C-alpha cells in the first residue's frame, strides 16, 4: 500500500484541480462525492442515480450525491485511497480489488463458491453479508451494500473450451491475488491491468483475453477485439458500495439512516436492471459476431480445488467458507 505521503499528494492534486471534498455542506444541505470507474450506461451507475433520488426524497432535499463516473477521479484503487483520507466520500469497487484492504473478502474470489444466484443473494443479503460489509472498517472503508455483478467468465481472441486451451494465454485480472492464483491454476498467465487500460492492451496484444461479466464485456466494447466468450462462470464477485468512515462518522444518526436505506433500495433496483442488462449484452455480442461457448464446467472446477485446500489452512477463512456453503437459498 502506498505511503501516507503518496496519499496526501493524490488527494491534494484532486482537491486543487477539481475543487472537491468528500462531503460538502452548502447551507443546510450535505452533498457526498461519489466516484467510480463504470460507464454511465452501466446498471450500477444507474443504481447510484436511483440512490441519489431516494436519498434526496428521504432527507427532504437535505442530502444528495454528486456522482463522477468513468474514472474521472481515478482508478478503483485510487478512489479507495482517497476515501481513506476523506477526500472522497463514496466509491464502488469490485470485492476483488477490495480484498487488498480486507483479507476476508478473498473468499469471493474462490471459484465456484456459490451454488447459484439464489444462494449468492442469500449470503450477501444475510448476516454473513452484513459482517463482510464491515470487514474494511479498520481501513476507514465502510460497506453500505453489495451490488449484483453477475458471474465472471473468460473472453479471448481465440476459442477456449477447456482449461487446456487457457495454457500460456496472457489473461487480464484485477489486482487480486486470489484472481491471479485462479488463472495460474487453470494454466493461464495472469496479468494485472487497470480496467480503463484494458481495451488498448487487448488491441495491442499485451494480453490475449480477460474475464468479467457480460454487461462489462459488452459496454466496454471488448467484444470488438475478443470474439469468443466462454460461459464458465468461474466466480461471482459482487461490487461493493463504500463510504469513507471519515465522512460516515461525521453524519448524524438520522443522516446515516437515510444513506443506508437509500443504498439498500438502490440494490433492489440494480438487481432488476442487471438481469435486463445481461440479456441485452448477450443478444448484442452475438449480433456483433462473438461466439458464445458453454463448456463442461467440471474440468474447470477440478483445476481449482487446491485453492480451497490452501484456504482451509486459515481457520477463520475455513469457517467462513463453511458458513457460506451452509446457507440455504431463498
Amino acid at each position: 500500500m502506498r505511503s501516507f505521503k503518496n496519499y496526501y499528494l493524490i488527494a491534494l492534486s484532486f482537491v486543487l484541480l477539481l475543487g472537491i471534498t468528500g462531503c460538502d455542506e452548502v447551507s443546510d444541505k450535505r452533498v457526498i462525492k461519489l466516484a467510480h470507474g463504470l460507464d454511465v450506461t452501466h446498471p450500477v451507475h444507474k443504481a447510484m442515480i436511483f440512490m441519489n433520488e431516494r436519498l434526496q426524497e428521504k432527507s427532504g432535499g437535505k442530502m444528495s450525491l454528486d456522482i463522477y463516473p468513468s474514472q474521472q477521479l481515478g482508478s478503483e484503487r485510487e478512489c479507495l485511497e482517497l476515501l481513506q483520507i476523506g477526500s472522497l466520500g463514496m466509491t464502488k469497487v469490485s470485492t476483488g480489488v477490495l480484498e487488498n484492504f480486507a483479507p476476508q473478502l478473498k473468499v469471493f474470489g474462490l471459484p465456484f463458491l456459490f451454488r447459484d444466484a439464489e444462494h449468492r443473494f442469500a449470503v450477501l443479503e444475510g448476516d454473513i453479508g452484513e459482517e463482510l460489509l464491515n470487514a474494511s472498517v479498520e481501513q476507514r472503508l465502510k460497506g453500505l451494500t453489495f451490488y449484483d455483478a453477475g458471474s465472471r467468465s473468460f473472453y479471448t481472441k481465440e476459442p477456449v473450451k477447456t482449461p487446456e486451451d487457457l495454457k500460456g494465454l496472457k489473461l487480464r485480472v484485477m489486482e487480486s491475488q486470489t484472481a491471479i492464483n485462479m488463472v495460474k491454476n487453470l494454466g493461464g498467465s495472469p496479468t494485472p491491468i487497470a480496467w480503463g487500460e484494458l481495451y488498448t492492451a487487448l488491441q495491442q496484444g499485451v494480453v490475449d483475453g480477460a474475464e468479467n461479466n457480460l454487461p462489462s464485456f459488452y459496454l466496454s466494447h471488448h467484444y470488438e477485439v475478443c470474439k469468443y466468450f466462454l460461459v464458465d462462470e468461474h466466480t461471482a464477485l459482487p461490487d461493493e458500495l463504500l463510504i469513507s468512515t471519515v465522512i460516515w462518522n461525521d453524519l448524524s444518526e438520522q443522516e446515516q439512516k437515510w444513506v443506508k436505506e437509500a443504498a439498500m433500495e438502490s440494490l433492489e433496483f440494480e438487481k432488476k436492471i442487471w438481469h435486463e442488462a445481461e440479456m441485452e449484452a448477450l443478444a448484442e455480442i452475438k449480433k456483433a459476431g462473438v461466439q458464445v461457448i458453454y463448456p463442461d464446467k467440471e474440468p474447470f472446477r477440478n483445476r481449482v480445488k487446491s485453492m480451497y485446500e490452501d484456504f482451509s489452512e486459515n481457520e477463520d477463512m475455513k469457517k467462513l467458507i463453511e458458513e457460506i456453503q451452509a446457507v440455504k437459498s431463498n
Side-chain angles (χ1 to χ4, degrees):
M1 195 173 294
R2 299 179 184 179
S3 66
F4 179 80
K5 181 179 178 181
N6 283 342
Y7 288 145
Y8 175 79
L9 290 174
I10 293 171
L12 181 61
S13 64
F14 280 129
V15 171
L16 290 176
L17 292 174
L18 299 168
I20 69 165
T21 56
C23 187
D24 293 340
E25 289 190 64
V26 182
S27 62
D28 292 331
K29 184 174 182 179
R30 193 184 288 268
V31 181
I32 301 176
K33 307 289 185 181
L34 191 169
H36 65 87
L38 299 172
D39 182 89
V40 294
T41 59
H42 197 283
V44 169
H45 176 76
K46 292 179 180 178
M48 292 171 180
I49 299 295
F50 180 86
M51 177 182 173
N52 183 37
E53 293 171 354
R54 295 298 297 127
L55 181 60
Q56 292 186 60
E57 290 175 12
K58 289 176 179 294
S59 67
K62 294 179 181 178
M63 296 188 76
S64 66
L65 303 177
D66 192 3
I67 305 173
Y68 295 82
S70 305
Q71 295 195 56
Q72 290 181 40
L73 302 188
S75 67
E76 287 193 335
R77 177 86 182 210
E78 289 166 338
C79 285
L80 285 172
E81 292 170 349
L82 288 173
L83 254 68
Q84 288 183 304
I85 54 173
S87 290
L88 181 64
M90 296 171 63
T91 193
K92 185 289 308 176
V93 299
S94 168
T95 49
V97 174
L98 195 58
E99 73 177 42
N100 296 300
F101 297 80
Q104 300 98 309
L105 296 178
K106 289 181 180 178
V107 71
F108 289 133
L110 275 174
F112 309 106
L113 175 68
F114 299 112
R115 295 187 295 274
D116 49 36
E118 288 73 22
H119 178 219
R120 182 168 80 247
F121 292 136
V123 172
L124 297 180
E125 297 171 22
D127 293 339
I128 294 175
E130 192 62 35
E131 180 182 335
L132 291 174
L133 284 173
N134 289 309
S136 57
V137 167
E138 290 185 1
Q139 298 295 327
R140 300 184 180 181
L141 305 167
K142 176 178 175 58
L144 291 172
T145 190
F146 291 111
Y147 283 133
D148 184 15
S151 56
R152 299 174 74 94
S153 294
F154 290 108
Y155 52 90
T156 53
K157 297 178 182 179
E158 299 296 331
V160 170
K161 297 181 179 179
T162 67
E164 286 72 25
D165 295 332
L166 290 171
K167 187 174 181 180
L169 292 186
K170 293 175 290 183
L171 299 167
R172 180 267 177 180
V173 294
M174 295 176 288
E175 291 185 56
S176 158
Q177 190 58 51
T178 312
I180 290 170
N181 292 343
M182 176 193 68
V183 170
K184 284 182 177 179
N185 274 272
L186 291 172
S189 177
T191 308
I193 294 176
W195 177 249
E197 300 170 8
L198 181 51
Y199 187 95
T200 302
L202 288 165
Q203 268 190 325
Q204 297 178 349
V206 176
V207 288
D208 304 304
E211 52 90 43
N212 215 316
N213 53 58
L214 269 168
S216 293
F217 175 60
Y218 170 57
L219 294 172
S220 63
H221 293 270
H222 292 172
Y223 65 89
E224 295 173 351
V225 186
C226 295
K227 292 298 183 180
Y228 299 92
F229 192 92
L230 179 76
V231 189
D232 64 304
E233 299 178 308
H234 47 261
T235 53
L237 289 162
D239 282 335
E240 185 171 343
L241 181 66
L242 297 134
I243 186 168
S244 165
T245 59
V246 177
I247 305 303
W248 178 258
N249 294 336
D250 191 49
L251 301 178
S252 67
E253 287 188 15
Q254 180 61 73
E255 288 173 329
Q256 290 178 352
K257 185 172 183 288
W258 286 332
V259 170
K260 179 66 174 179
E261 286 179 351
M264 295 306 295
E265 289 177 21
S266 74
L267 163 62
E268 292 306 313
F269 175 78
E270 189 265 350
K271 283 164 62 176
K272 293 176 183 176
I273 62 174
W274 180 266
H275 178 69
E276 296 170 1
E278 284 187 320
M279 296 301 99
E280 178 189 4
L282 184 60
E284 292 300 320
I285 63 172
K286 286 181 177 179
K287 286 182 187 177
V290 173
Q291 183 178 338
V292 179
I293 302 168
Y294 295 88
D296 177 3
K297 294 181 183 180
E298 199 58 31
F300 291 87
R301 288 194 183 94
N302 291 335
R303 284 289 187 96
V304 296
K305 282 182 178 178
S306 62
M307 293 181 67
Y308 282 81
E309 295 169 5
D310 293 340
F311 272 56
S312 67
E313 296 176 3
N314 181 311
E315 285 300 319
D316 290 337
M317 292 301 293
K318 179 181 178 182
K319 181 182 177 183
L320 178 57
I321 293 169
E322 291 173 348
E323 289 175 347
I324 289 174
Q325 293 176 334
V327 171
K328 295 181 180 180
S329 301
N330 292 328

